[in-house]
Amino acid sequence: MGLCKCRQVTTLFCFQCRINVCDKCIVDKHKTCVVNKYMQWLVDSEFDPTCRLCTGQFTPDQPTIRLNCLHVFHFKCLMDYAASLPANTAPAGYACPKCQGPIVPPATANDAVATECRRMLEGVPWARVGAASAAVPPTATAGEVVPAAYNAGASESLTARKHVSIAIPSPPQTTGTDGGGSAVRDPDDDKYARRSVNERFNRVVSNQLEESQKRGLLRDDNPAAGLRRTAIIMLLLMLIAVTTIELLTRAKSSHHNALLDPAHNANFRIE
């Protein structure tokens, strides 16, 4: 689970922006992004940001539609795909070309993605039939079998859309402009970016200092804090003094090394 920028807890993750996103932000700010479970991104972060039907890129001037299974297509491509199916196709036959989940969201799906998908499919004849069928799931009677496509689609939609949305009070806004008129960068924009070695070291040191302050080891009102500081400083000074003396001793002894004296070296002959 992660925290979206709108302070909603979610299990969904935008592969392209590399941030956690909730269903509302997907509809508002990530219309064409590749979105899936965060655990799926940990397993395989590869993605294809193109339309599955036409293999074309998504552009702002082309309407797109995101199905309840989170896959995105050009709206025209999806309509052409549905029109290419036989006229007697059952409602369960209108399935996602990528995962075979239902194109029309089931009645149990009431999140922002499903609501937006239903809105875009208003007025489409086969979508109205599919919506009516999704509202009343088919049941098997004597001698009848429920279509496998419907079961697979329903299972995919339910497993792909299980996430938690918990409202958390919004903190003070960090975006916008400062007093000088320059833009203020949102710290969440690069929270998944690679950190340098210095940044990681500074973060570890700051975390250790904060933990020590919480436990009261470095607080000024702690009677033992002064003694600890003095002991640590004295220990460091002793280590530095011992190291310096050892280095000077070795440097001095090197001048009296017999091997470095030509008169005592068998490899040299002095006449």
Side-chain angles (χ1 to χ4, degrees):
M1 259 198 262
L3 194 63
C4 180
K5 293 181 67 174
C6 67
R7 318 312 295 178
Q8 296 287 331
V9 178
T10 177
T11 60
L12 302 178
F13 191 80
C14 178
F15 283 35
Q16 292 174 253
C17 302
R18 295 191 175 185
I19 58 175
N20 297 99
V21 291
C22 65
D23 54 340
K24 295 180 181 178
C25 289
I26 291 176
V27 175
D28 297 337
K29 303 177 182 179
H30 302 268
K31 294 182 180 295
T32 61
C33 293
V34 179
V35 178
N36 207 323
K37 293 296 185 90
Y38 177 70
M39 297 302 298
Q40 179 62 32
W41 182 77
L42 294 178
V43 175
D44 184 11
S45 60
E46 298 293 332
F47 61 92
D48 183 12
T50 60
C51 177
R52 179 80 173 188
L53 295 172
C54 67
T55 66
Q57 297 289 337
F58 296 110
T59 57
D61 58 332
Q62 293 179 317
T64 58
I65 181 172
R66 185 184 297 274
L67 304 184
N68 195 54
C69 57
L70 299 176
H71 295 135
V72 185
F73 305 94
H74 290 120
F75 186 77
K76 182 179 182 303
C77 294
L78 187 64
M79 294 300 102
D80 294 341
Y81 164 76
S84 65
L85 299 176
N88 59 348
T89 300
Y94 293 96
C96 172
K98 189 171 183 178
C99 67
Q100 297 305 309
I103 294 180
V104 180
T108 55
N110 55 2
D111 55 89
V113 175
T115 303
E116 179 65 14
C117 183
R118 292 193 193 96
R119 186 191 67 80
M120 297 194 66
L121 293 176
E122 288 181 354
V124 180
W126 58 264
R128 290 198 296 269
V129 176
S133 175
V136 182
T139 56
T141 58
E144 294 182 352
V145 179
V146 178
Y150 182 90
N151 294 332
S155 176
E156 176 68 17
S157 64
L158 291 176
T159 56
R161 298 300 303 142
K162 286 182 180 178
H163 66 280
V164 182
S165 294
I166 303 175
I168 298 178
S170 300
Q173 296 292 333
T174 57
T175 58
T177 57
D178 55 11
S182 59
V184 179
R185 183 175 179 81
D186 192 336
D188 289 339
D189 289 342
D190 58 349
K191 67 178 181 179
Y192 289 98
R194 293 184 178 273
R195 301 290 191 271
S196 62
V197 177
N198 293 334
E199 291 177 342
R200 294 178 182 177
F201 178 77
N202 294 334
R203 185 173 182 179
V204 171
V205 173
S206 62
N207 290 340
Q208 292 296 331
L209 292 176
E210 291 178 0
E211 185 66 21
S212 299
Q213 291 177 353
K214 289 180 180 179
R215 292 185 299 174
L217 298 179
L218 299 179
R219 292 175 56 183
D220 294 335
D221 55 354
N222 187 358
L227 296 177
R228 287 193 182 92
R229 292 195 188 97
T230 303
I232 293 173
I233 293 174
M234 294 297 295
L235 180 61
L236 292 177
L237 291 177
M238 291 177 60
L239 290 176
I240 294 174
V242 171
T243 304
T244 304
I245 294 173
E246 180 66 20
L247 292 176
L248 292 176
T249 304
R250 291 186 179 183
K252 185 177 180 180
S253 62
S254 64
H255 294 291
H256 302 282
N257 194 343
L259 296 177
L260 299 179
D261 189 356
H264 298 82
N265 196 325
N267 297 322
F268 292 93
R269 181 178 180 181
I270 301 176
E271 297 180 354

